Amino acid sequence: MNDVEARMAALRRRFADSADQHSIALRAAFQIDDRDRVSEIAHHLAGAAGIFGQPVLGNCGAQLEQAIDAGADGVALEAFVDAVLAALNQMARSR
């Protein structure tokens, strides 16, 4: 493994290690109906997940962000939030 690969591996581990913090932040923002914050978290996760080899999380994050942009109601958003939380949970378990 060269230096770049080692650095990327370390960054992937750090991203996976942050899954619990992202879950807590997403739940908190959703519970108080802070759609801007939920969208910000979803956007971050969608982008970072793609970089760090987590396509399911990336897709779920992108769908949540799109749902917010489309003005989805709380029930619909809850399903998207749940999908992101499940993907974060899966990422955390696979560390």
Side-chain angles (χ1 to χ4, degrees):
M1 180 182 294
N2 67 36
D3 190 46
V4 172
E5 291 169 334
R7 287 181 186 178
M8 281 305 294
L11 289 171
R12 277 192 295 278
R13 281 190 302 277
R14 281 184 40 201
F15 182 62
D17 289 346
S18 71
D20 292 337
Q21 288 119 355
H22 289 301
S23 293
I24 291 166
L26 180 58
R27 280 190 187 103
F30 181 70
Q31 287 175 347
I32 62 170
D33 197 31
D34 185 345
R35 289 175 181 237
D36 289 338
R37 180 69 179 133
V38 171
S39 182
E40 179 183 299
I41 293 166
H43 180 81
H44 168 74
L45 291 173
I51 293 168
F52 297 121
Q54 297 291 332
V56 173
L57 176 58
N59 186 44
C60 291
Q63 288 178 347
L64 173 55
E65 185 179 16
Q66 290 167 1
I68 291 171
D69 290 346
D73 65 21
V75 173
L77 285 183
E78 186 172 15
F80 289 109
V81 168
D82 287 346
V84 171
L85 292 172
L88 283 166
N89 186 43
Q90 178 63 37
M91 183 176 70
R93 287 188 306 197
S94 67
R95 292 185 255 193

